[in-house]
mmCIF file of all heavy atoms in Angstrom:
data_model
loop_
_atom_site.group_PDB
_atom_site.id
_atom_site.type_symbol
_atom_site.label_atom_id
_atom_site.label_comp_id
_atom_site.label_asym_id
_atom_site.label_seq_id
_atom_site.Cartn_x
_atom_site.Cartn_y
_atom_site.Cartn_z
ATOM 1 N N ASP L 279 0.448 8.719 -17.460
ATOM 2 C CA ASP L 279 -0.529 9.858 -17.244
ATOM 3 C C ASP L 279 -0.153 10.476 -15.883
ATOM 4 O O ASP L 279 -0.931 11.387 -15.477
ATOM 5 C CB ASP L 279 -2.028 9.380 -17.254
ATOM 6 C CG ASP L 279 -2.307 8.329 -16.301
ATOM 7 O OD1 ASP L 279 -1.370 7.881 -15.497
ATOM 8 O OD2 ASP L 279 -3.494 7.927 -16.289
ATOM 9 N N GLY L 280 0.824 10.033 -15.173
ATOM 10 C CA GLY L 280 1.178 10.692 -13.857
ATOM 11 C C GLY L 280 0.334 10.251 -12.691
ATOM 12 O O GLY L 280 0.469 10.747 -11.578
ATOM 13 N N ALA L 281 -0.719 9.495 -12.949
ATOM 14 C CA ALA L 281 -1.657 9.037 -11.829
ATOM 15 C C ALA L 281 -0.952 7.999 -10.883
ATOM 16 O O ALA L 281 -0.037 7.307 -11.307
ATOM 17 C CB ALA L 281 -2.934 8.445 -12.453
ATOM 18 N N LEU L 282 -1.397 8.104 -9.731
ATOM 19 C CA LEU L 282 -1.021 7.086 -8.642
ATOM 20 C C LEU L 282 -2.289 6.401 -8.259
ATOM 21 O O LEU L 282 -3.404 6.919 -8.279
ATOM 22 C CB LEU L 282 -0.318 7.749 -7.480
ATOM 23 C CG LEU L 282 0.968 8.562 -7.850
ATOM 24 C CD1 LEU L 282 1.465 9.234 -6.596
ATOM 25 C CD2 LEU L 282 2.023 7.657 -8.494
ATOM 26 N N VAL L 283 -2.054 5.192 -7.627
ATOM 27 C CA VAL L 283 -3.182 4.352 -7.143
ATOM 28 C C VAL L 283 -3.015 3.995 -5.697
ATOM 29 O O VAL L 283 -1.986 3.464 -5.263
ATOM 30 C CB VAL L 283 -3.370 3.051 -7.973
ATOM 31 C CG1 VAL L 283 -4.527 2.281 -7.521
ATOM 32 C CG2 VAL L 283 -3.403 3.385 -9.532
ATOM 33 N N LEU L 284 -4.013 4.314 -4.826
ATOM 34 C CA LEU L 284 -4.068 3.947 -3.495
ATOM 35 C C LEU L 284 -4.680 2.629 -3.371
ATOM 36 O O LEU L 284 -5.764 2.367 -3.879
ATOM 37 C CB LEU L 284 -4.910 4.928 -2.631
ATOM 38 C CG LEU L 284 -4.834 4.742 -1.148
ATOM 39 C CD1 LEU L 284 -3.487 5.107 -0.549
ATOM 40 C CD2 LEU L 284 -5.977 5.455 -0.570
ATOM 41 N N LEU L 285 -4.029 1.707 -2.635
ATOM 42 C CA LEU L 285 -4.544 0.342 -2.402
ATOM 43 C C LEU L 285 -4.626 0.027 -0.926
ATOM 44 O O LEU L 285 -3.653 0.430 -0.116
ATOM 45 C CB LEU L 285 -3.654 -0.770 -3.074
ATOM 46 C CG LEU L 285 -3.421 -0.707 -4.554
ATOM 47 C CD1 LEU L 285 -2.437 -1.773 -4.961
ATOM 48 C CD2 LEU L 285 -4.706 -0.803 -5.367
ATOM 49 N N SER L 286 -5.644 -0.548 -0.407
ATOM 50 C CA SER L 286 -5.748 -1.045 0.963
ATOM 51 C C SER L 286 -6.171 -2.454 0.889
ATOM 52 O O SER L 286 -7.042 -2.906 0.219
ATOM 53 C CB SER L 286 -6.806 -0.135 1.699
ATOM 54 O OG SER L 286 -6.902 -0.706 3.062
ATOM 55 N N GLY L 287 -5.359 -3.202 1.716
ATOM 56 C CA GLY L 287 -5.610 -4.696 1.605
ATOM 57 C C GLY L 287 -4.600 -5.477 2.409
ATOM 58 O O GLY L 287 -3.976 -5.103 3.372
ATOM 59 N N PHE L 288 -4.377 -6.740 1.950
ATOM 60 C CA PHE L 288 -3.527 -7.692 2.632
ATOM 61 C C PHE L 288 -2.276 -7.894 1.726
ATOM 62 O O PHE L 288 -2.383 -8.457 0.655
ATOM 63 C CB PHE L 288 -4.192 -9.007 2.920
ATOM 64 C CG PHE L 288 -3.412 -10.032 3.769
ATOM 65 C CD1 PHE L 288 -3.369 -9.776 5.186
ATOM 66 C CD2 PHE L 288 -2.802 -11.187 3.193
ATOM 67 C CE1 PHE L 288 -2.687 -10.649 5.957
ATOM 68 C CE2 PHE L 288 -2.106 -12.041 4.027
ATOM 69 C CZ PHE L 288 -2.026 -11.800 5.354
ATOM 70 N N PHE L 289 -1.132 -7.457 2.253
ATOM 71 C CA PHE L 289 0.063 -7.494 1.480
ATOM 72 C C PHE L 289 1.246 -8.026 2.289
ATOM 73 O O PHE L 289 1.433 -7.530 3.498
ATOM 74 C CB PHE L 289 0.527 -6.108 0.950
ATOM 75 C CG PHE L 289 -0.540 -5.381 0.054
ATOM 76 C CD1 PHE L 289 -1.408 -4.486 0.587
ATOM 77 C CD2 PHE L 289 -0.544 -5.714 -1.292
ATOM 78 C CE1 PHE L 289 -2.401 -3.834 -0.262
ATOM 79 C CE2 PHE L 289 -1.508 -5.045 -2.036
ATOM 80 C CZ PHE L 289 -2.461 -4.216 -1.534
ATOM 81 N N GLU L 290 2.038 -8.878 1.828
ATOM 82 C CA GLU L 290 3.213 -9.434 2.523
ATOM 83 C C GLU L 290 2.911 -9.778 3.892
ATOM 84 O O GLU L 290 3.699 -9.479 4.853
ATOM 85 C CB GLU L 290 4.321 -8.358 2.373
ATOM 86 C CG GLU L 290 4.732 -7.988 0.991
ATOM 87 C CD GLU L 290 5.856 -6.954 0.959
ATOM 88 O OE1 GLU L 290 6.498 -6.711 2.043
ATOM 89 O OE2 GLU L 290 6.058 -6.366 -0.079
ATOM 90 N N GLY L 291 1.811 -10.493 4.134
ATOM 91 C CA GLY L 291 1.449 -11.072 5.357
ATOM 92 C C GLY L 291 0.828 -10.195 6.367
ATOM 93 O O GLY L 291 0.627 -10.608 7.529
ATOM 94 N N GLY L 292 0.345 -9.026 6.005
ATOM 95 C CA GLY L 292 -0.322 -8.119 6.963
ATOM 96 C C GLY L 292 -1.189 -7.038 6.264
ATOM 97 O O GLY L 292 -1.160 -6.943 5.089
ATOM 98 N N ASN L 293 -1.996 -6.265 7.099
ATOM 99 C CA ASN L 293 -2.765 -5.329 6.543
ATOM 100 C C ASN L 293 -1.857 -4.156 6.172
ATOM 101 O O ASN L 293 -0.949 -3.743 6.903
ATOM 102 C CB ASN L 293 -3.754 -4.815 7.682
ATOM 103 C CG ASN L 293 -4.874 -5.846 7.871
ATOM 104 O OD1 ASN L 293 -5.548 -6.175 6.971
ATOM 105 N ND2 ASN L 293 -5.052 -6.185 9.088
ATOM 106 N N GLU L 294 -2.178 -3.458 5.192
ATOM 107 C CA GLU L 294 -1.386 -2.402 4.597
ATOM 108 C C GLU L 294 -2.073 -1.510 3.733
ATOM 109 O O GLU L 294 -3.074 -1.929 2.999
ATOM 110 C CB GLU L 294 -0.138 -2.902 3.898
ATOM 111 C CG GLU L 294 0.892 -1.891 3.472
ATOM 112 C CD GLU L 294 2.152 -2.587 3.046
ATOM 113 O OE1 GLU L 294 2.702 -3.527 3.642
ATOM 114 O OE2 GLU L 294 2.651 -2.152 1.950
ATOM 115 N N VAL L 295 -1.816 -0.155 3.811
ATOM 116 C CA VAL L 295 -2.254 0.799 2.813
ATOM 117 C C VAL L 295 -0.983 1.156 1.969
ATOM 118 O O VAL L 295 0.040 1.383 2.639
ATOM 119 C CB VAL L 295 -2.892 2.063 3.475
ATOM 120 C CG1 VAL L 295 -3.311 3.009 2.386
ATOM 121 C CG2 VAL L 295 -4.041 1.656 4.391
ATOM 122 N N ARG L 296 -1.116 1.143 0.710
ATOM 123 C CA ARG L 296 0.061 1.511 -0.130
ATOM 124 C C ARG L 296 -0.290 2.359 -1.266
ATOM 125 O O ARG L 296 -1.428 2.318 -1.738
ATOM 126 C CB ARG L 296 0.883 0.285 -0.550
ATOM 127 C CG ARG L 296 0.120 -0.662 -1.331
ATOM 128 C CD ARG L 296 0.999 -1.867 -1.908
ATOM 129 N NE ARG L 296 1.843 -2.511 -0.858
ATOM 130 C CZ ARG L 296 2.546 -3.563 -1.086
ATOM 131 N NH1 ARG L 296 2.666 -4.112 -2.347
ATOM 132 N NH2 ARG L 296 3.325 -4.127 -0.111
ATOM 133 N N LEU L 297 0.727 3.161 -1.738
ATOM 134 C CA LEU L 297 0.473 4.026 -2.871
ATOM 135 C C LEU L 297 1.395 3.561 -3.925
ATOM 136 O O LEU L 297 2.606 3.422 -3.684
ATOM 137 C CB LEU L 297 0.665 5.434 -2.584
ATOM 138 C CG LEU L 297 0.374 6.580 -3.554
ATOM 139 C CD1 LEU L 297 -1.115 6.635 -3.846
ATOM 140 C CD2 LEU L 297 0.919 7.953 -3.112
ATOM 141 N N ILE L 298 0.889 3.279 -5.166
ATOM 142 C CA ILE L 298 1.707 2.689 -6.201
ATOM 143 C C ILE L 298 1.678 3.539 -7.498
ATOM 144 O O ILE L 298 0.637 4.309 -7.739
ATOM 145 C CB ILE L 298 1.417 1.225 -6.540
ATOM 146 C CG1 ILE L 298 0.048 1.034 -7.196
ATOM 147 C CG2 ILE L 298 1.518 0.354 -5.317
ATOM 148 C CD1 ILE L 298 -0.277 -0.195 -7.636
ATOM 149 N N ARG L 299 2.686 3.373 -8.290
ATOM 150 C CA ARG L 299 2.665 4.012 -9.654
ATOM 151 C C ARG L 299 1.964 3.045 -10.640
ATOM 152 O O ARG L 299 1.680 1.967 -10.303
ATOM 153 C CB ARG L 299 4.092 4.249 -10.092
ATOM 154 C CG ARG L 299 4.940 5.118 -9.273
ATOM 155 C CD ARG L 299 6.310 5.296 -9.741
ATOM 156 N NE ARG L 299 7.129 6.064 -8.836
ATOM 157 C CZ ARG L 299 7.830 5.654 -7.735
ATOM 158 N NH1 ARG L 299 7.849 4.297 -7.514
ATOM 159 N NH2 ARG L 299 8.468 6.449 -6.984
ATOM 160 N N ARG L 300 1.738 3.481 -11.840
ATOM 161 C CA ARG L 300 1.097 2.669 -12.812
ATOM 162 C C ARG L 300 1.811 1.360 -13.136
ATOM 163 O O ARG L 300 1.202 0.360 -13.461
ATOM 164 C CB ARG L 300 1.012 3.497 -14.185
ATOM 165 C CG ARG L 300 0.035 4.673 -14.116
ATOM 166 C CD ARG L 300 -1.376 4.148 -13.873
ATOM 167 N NE ARG L 300 -2.468 5.095 -14.441
ATOM 168 C CZ ARG L 300 -3.698 4.813 -14.523
ATOM 169 N NH1 ARG L 300 -4.154 3.665 -14.159
ATOM 170 N NH2 ARG L 300 -4.541 5.747 -14.898
ATOM 171 N N ASP L 301 3.189 1.387 -12.952
ATOM 172 C CA ASP L 301 3.984 0.157 -13.255
ATOM 173 C C ASP L 301 4.034 -0.794 -12.052
ATOM 174 O O ASP L 301 4.625 -1.830 -12.120
ATOM 175 C CB ASP L 301 5.323 0.463 -13.700
ATOM 176 C CG ASP L 301 6.169 1.277 -12.621
ATOM 177 O OD1 ASP L 301 5.657 1.392 -11.507
ATOM 178 O OD2 ASP L 301 7.315 1.568 -12.895
ATOM 179 N N GLY L 302 3.225 -0.426 -10.951
ATOM 180 C CA GLY L 302 3.253 -1.309 -9.745
ATOM 181 C C GLY L 302 4.248 -1.027 -8.724
ATOM 182 O O GLY L 302 4.161 -1.552 -7.629
ATOM 183 N N SER L 303 5.241 -0.198 -9.057
ATOM 184 C CA SER L 303 6.310 0.200 -8.060
ATOM 185 C C SER L 303 5.654 0.983 -6.947
ATOM 186 O O SER L 303 4.751 1.786 -7.141
ATOM 187 C CB SER L 303 7.454 0.889 -8.676
ATOM 188 O OG SER L 303 6.996 2.142 -9.307
ATOM 189 N N ILE L 304 6.265 0.807 -5.745
ATOM 190 C CA ILE L 304 5.676 1.463 -4.618
ATOM 191 C C ILE L 304 6.223 2.911 -4.293
ATOM 192 O O ILE L 304 7.430 3.046 -4.322
ATOM 193 C CB ILE L 304 5.963 0.549 -3.340
ATOM 194 C CG1 ILE L 304 5.288 -0.753 -3.515
ATOM 195 C CG2 ILE L 304 5.425 1.254 -2.079
ATOM 196 C CD1 ILE L 304 5.569 -1.726 -2.355
ATOM 197 N N VAL L 305 5.323 3.817 -4.179
ATOM 198 C CA VAL L 305 5.674 5.215 -3.875
ATOM 199 C C VAL L 305 5.717 5.389 -2.319
ATOM 200 O O VAL L 305 6.729 5.986 -1.852
ATOM 201 C CB VAL L 305 4.647 6.192 -4.348
ATOM 202 C CG1 VAL L 305 4.867 7.638 -4.001
ATOM 203 C CG2 VAL L 305 4.533 6.115 -5.861
ATOM 204 N N ALA L 306 4.764 4.831 -1.592
ATOM 205 C CA ALA L 306 4.736 4.899 -0.141
ATOM 206 C C ALA L 306 3.923 3.779 0.353
ATOM 207 O O ALA L 306 3.023 3.238 -0.266
ATOM 208 C CB ALA L 306 4.159 6.225 0.360
ATOM 209 N N ARG L 307 4.226 3.318 1.668
ATOM 210 C CA ARG L 307 3.477 2.241 2.186
ATOM 211 C C ARG L 307 3.207 2.437 3.719
ATOM 212 O O ARG L 307 4.129 3.077 4.371
ATOM 213 C CB ARG L 307 4.131 0.836 1.984
ATOM 214 C CG ARG L 307 5.548 0.737 2.341
ATOM 215 C CD ARG L 307 6.168 -0.441 1.778
ATOM 216 N NE ARG L 307 5.598 -1.712 2.405
ATOM 217 C CZ ARG L 307 6.086 -2.415 3.310
ATOM 218 N NH1 ARG L 307 7.216 -1.957 4.024
ATOM 219 N NH2 ARG L 307 5.517 -3.443 3.815
ATOM 220 N N TRP L 308 2.085 2.004 4.173
ATOM 221 C CA TRP L 308 1.701 2.133 5.642
ATOM 222 C C TRP L 308 1.256 0.757 6.129
ATOM 223 O O TRP L 308 0.162 0.383 6.118
ATOM 224 C CB TRP L 308 0.596 3.125 5.789
ATOM 225 C CG TRP L 308 0.889 4.546 5.335
ATOM 226 C CD1 TRP L 308 1.238 5.573 6.121
ATOM 227 C CD2 TRP L 308 0.777 5.115 3.990
ATOM 228 N NE1 TRP L 308 1.413 6.693 5.494
ATOM 229 C CE2 TRP L 308 1.148 6.489 4.153
ATOM 230 C CE3 TRP L 308 0.460 4.608 2.735
ATOM 231 C CZ2 TRP L 308 1.188 7.360 3.054
ATOM 232 C CZ3 TRP L 308 0.482 5.437 1.651
ATOM 233 C CH2 TRP L 308 0.861 6.747 1.789
ATOM 234 N N PRO L 309 2.250 -0.008 6.626
ATOM 235 C CA PRO L 309 1.828 -1.318 7.270
ATOM 236 C C PRO L 309 0.965 -0.914 8.592
ATOM 237 O O PRO L 309 1.475 -0.012 9.308
ATOM 238 C CB PRO L 309 3.151 -2.004 7.691
ATOM 239 C CG PRO L 309 4.127 -1.317 6.675
ATOM 240 C CD PRO L 309 3.596 0.089 6.554
ATOM 241 N N VAL L 310 -0.186 -1.545 8.732
ATOM 242 C CA VAL L 310 -0.976 -1.136 9.928
ATOM 243 C C VAL L 310 -1.277 -2.338 10.779
ATOM 244 O O VAL L 310 -1.635 -3.378 10.219
ATOM 245 C CB VAL L 310 -2.249 -0.322 9.466
ATOM 246 C CG1 VAL L 310 -1.861 1.003 8.819
ATOM 247 C CG2 VAL L 310 -3.093 -1.239 8.470
ATOM 248 N N ASP L 311 -1.282 -2.210 12.048
ATOM 249 C CA ASP L 311 -1.458 -3.262 13.057
ATOM 250 C C ASP L 311 -2.470 -2.715 13.975
ATOM 251 O O ASP L 311 -2.247 -1.787 14.796
ATOM 252 C CB ASP L 311 -0.133 -3.653 13.694
ATOM 253 C CG ASP L 311 -0.268 -4.732 14.712
ATOM 254 O OD1 ASP L 311 -0.919 -4.581 15.743
ATOM 255 O OD2 ASP L 311 0.136 -5.915 14.396
ATOM 256 N N TYR L 312 -3.633 -3.430 14.128
ATOM 257 C CA TYR L 312 -4.740 -2.972 14.888
ATOM 258 C C TYR L 312 -4.233 -2.968 16.276
ATOM 259 O O TYR L 312 -4.581 -2.070 17.129
ATOM 260 C CB TYR L 312 -5.963 -3.932 14.730
ATOM 261 C CG TYR L 312 -6.973 -3.621 15.831
ATOM 262 C CD1 TYR L 312 -7.638 -2.394 15.869
ATOM 263 C CD2 TYR L 312 -7.398 -4.617 16.726
ATOM 264 C CE1 TYR L 312 -8.571 -2.235 16.841
ATOM 265 C CE2 TYR L 312 -8.293 -4.415 17.713
ATOM 266 C CZ TYR L 312 -8.901 -3.131 17.826
ATOM 267 O OH TYR L 312 -9.865 -2.935 18.779
ATOM 268 N N TYR L 313 -3.633 -3.998 16.914
ATOM 269 C CA TYR L 313 -3.186 -4.084 18.296
ATOM 270 C C TYR L 313 -2.294 -3.010 18.637
ATOM 271 O O TYR L 313 -2.281 -2.513 19.715
ATOM 272 C CB TYR L 313 -2.542 -5.447 18.516
ATOM 273 C CG TYR L 313 -3.533 -6.490 18.944
ATOM 274 C CD1 TYR L 313 -4.842 -6.562 18.493
ATOM 275 C CD2 TYR L 313 -3.110 -7.499 19.894
ATOM 276 C CE1 TYR L 313 -5.648 -7.638 18.849
ATOM 277 C CE2 TYR L 313 -4.000 -8.496 20.262
ATOM 278 C CZ TYR L 313 -5.300 -8.601 19.741
ATOM 279 O OH TYR L 313 -6.167 -9.631 20.146
#
């Protein structure tokens, strides 16, 4: 359907915001570090 899903959470050992396709592949990712 062409939709994308924004996820915010704990991925690969750190905080991250990521945008994925319906099949789970990553369109874009933003690893974020508070410090």
Side-chain angles (χ1 to χ4, degrees):
D279 59 1
L282 300 177
V283 182
L284 184 75
L285 302 174
S286 179
F288 190 74
F289 302 95
E290 300 179 18
N293 288 307
E294 186 170 312
V295 181
R296 56 174 54 176
L297 188 67
I298 65 171
R299 302 179 183 88
R300 288 295 204 173
D301 63 5
S303 59
I304 298 174
V305 176
R307 54 192 296 262
W308 296 263
V310 295
D311 181 285
Y312 170 66
Y313 271 35

